[in-house]
Amino acid sequence: MAGQQHQDSTTDVVRWAAFSCVLVPVVLLWYGTSLAGATGTALGLAAVTAVCRVLLRRSERGAARSLAEEPAALAPRHGRHHRGGTGGHRGGRHSGGNTPGG
């Protein structure tokens, strides 16, 4: 169900972008921009919309694939940054070793 809702929201975004590809040149023409300028703007917006649509679809497929492959990725983590073993602490004082004085 959540996947379908995500896909619907992506479709809505693409629809609004396509609507903007039509609306923006009309508004530009209304305010006196040349037909060539409005056409260039429409083509530019259409190109950006197409690229964004491809990237959104690719992202959806990648997210669905990673969720299918690793259901443990959603498991709760333990600790602040899920670090284990020694050497997990940063900063503070260190005992001996790497000081300039020896």
Side-chain angles (χ1 to χ4, degrees):
M1 179 99 174
Q4 182 66 26
Q5 183 181 5
H6 178 69
Q7 190 172 10
D8 289 342
S9 65
T10 301
T11 302
D12 289 344
V13 168
V14 172
R15 285 182 183 163
W16 276 108
F19 174 71
S20 296
C21 289
V22 174
L23 181 64
V24 169
V26 169
V27 170
L28 288 174
L29 286 173
W30 182 267
Y31 282 101
T33 303
S34 69
L35 182 60
T39 302
T41 301
L43 291 175
L45 287 172
V48 169
T49 300
V51 169
C52 288
R53 181 177 182 263
V54 168
L55 292 174
L56 281 168
R57 299 294 182 202
R58 185 180 294 174
S59 174
E60 284 177 341
R61 285 193 301 264
R65 190 176 319 124
S66 80
L67 285 177
E69 290 174 358
E70 293 189 35
L74 297 177
R77 306 265 190 227
H78 297 287
R80 184 169 176 210
H81 293 287
H82 190 63
R83 290 187 191 140
T86 61
H89 299 285
R90 295 182 181 235
R93 294 181 180 239
H94 300 282
S95 57
N98 297 329
T99 60

